[in-house]
Amino acid sequence: MTMQFAASSSSSSSSPNFALKMGAEEDDTLLQLQQPQPEEEDDDDHEDDDDDDSEEAEKWKKHYSSRHRILLIGEGDFSFSLSLATAFGSAHNLVATSIDSHENIVKKYSNGMSNVRELEERGCLVLYGVDAKEMSQHFFLKTQRFDRIVYNFPHVGFLYPENSYCQIQLNKRLVKGFLSNAKILVRKEGGEIHVTHKESDPYSKWGLVNKAEKRGLVLHQVVPFCKDDYPGYDNKRGHGKLSDASFPIGESSTYKFKLPSTL
């Protein structure tokens, strides 16, 4: 009882001041409510901005886009891959391969490893020891599918005279093996297999189109190949003491093959 009375007595004696204080606090609160409050930023807007920044503009180099997943087979000194990467401004969409080991690339090509380093710095995956005739069984490649599979000037090496029966048969076997494996790794929708090939004799005896058709591929287009379209590209012999030397490409074309379902 005493505590209740004391509280009541104290409240009664100080009520005018207390009312004034409460009135002032209410006025301040009303002023704060009337003042415009800063708008809260929408996190979704920031996410959209980030998406716009990360969406790189598509870039093209002839038949190849920066949005294509591209597999390059049989690279010599990797200068063709680097030409594409330079045009795209990135190599994240490229997988560049060679049948050679890392050590052989160093031995055979004066610019081989510098090209590889630049490709890797740009985001390219470089694979060594990839056989075009068995690549669909490669531990990594067999898990992938590609928009473009590119093989420029397939050749087994200068084992016999270029126009001899044995040399031609070996090159035919290489082309057959490549096409059979590329068919597995190319995307069913919109995927293309590109083979750049000399038109003159004895290369015309390889029967490239016939071999592709026998493996269920359809010739989509044939376009002239111009080396100057790919700045920095230096085609290499890749065999023997003259591995690092270039060779005349003469009249050459890029043959584009597709799966029947993509036509």
Side-chain angles (χ1 to χ4, degrees), residues 192-244:
E192 295 181 6
I193 299 167
H194 293 185
V195 180
T196 298
H197 186 55
K198 288 186 178 184
E199 298 287 8
S200 60
D201 183 84
Y203 310 99
S204 57
K205 296 177 180 176
W206 294 11
L208 174 62
V209 175
N210 179 260
K211 285 174 174 47
E213 291 175 345
K214 285 185 175 181
R215 279 146 192 85
L217 297 170
V218 178
L219 180 62
H220 169 60
Q221 192 178 24
V222 182
V223 295
F225 177 83
C226 181
K227 184 176 173 179
D228 293 340
D229 289 334
Y230 304 94
Y233 172 47
D234 192 9
N235 55 301
K236 299 294 187 180
R237 287 174 63 89
H239 186 263
K241 295 180 180 179
L242 298 177
S243 294
D244 202 28

Side-chain angles (χ1 to χ4, degrees), residues 69-127:
R69 179 76 165 156
I70 304 174
L71 172 63
L72 299 117
I73 299 298
E75 285 289 87
D77 66 351
F78 292 90
S79 56
F80 187 82
S81 298
L82 185 56
S83 180
L84 293 183
T86 302
F88 298 155
S90 168
H92 288 281
N93 61 319
L94 305 181
V95 178
T97 74
S98 171
I99 194 170
D100 288 314
S101 64
H102 179 280
E103 292 75 13
N104 282 339
I105 295 293
V106 174
K107 293 176 182 178
K108 292 170 68 171
Y109 306 112
S110 57
N111 294 325
M113 290 318 300
S114 61
N115 290 342
V116 166
R117 282 193 294 271
E118 187 168 352
L119 279 169
E120 291 179 335
E121 287 171 0
R122 292 174 179 266
C124 179
L125 174 61
V126 176
L127 299 175

Side-chain angles (χ1 to χ4, degrees), residues 117-155:
R117 282 193 294 271
E118 187 168 352
L119 279 169
E120 291 179 335
E121 287 171 0
R122 292 174 179 266
C124 179
L125 174 61
V126 176
L127 299 175
Y128 304 100
V130 176
D131 188 338
K133 303 187 302 299
E134 301 175 356
M135 61 185 183
S136 65
Q137 300 304 310
H138 184 276
F139 72 95
F140 173 75
L141 296 179
K142 68 182 181 181
T143 68
Q144 307 295 305
R145 293 298 178 266
F146 297 91
D147 300 296
R148 299 290 183 270
I149 300 178
V150 183
Y151 199 171
N152 292 325
F153 304 105
H155 200 280

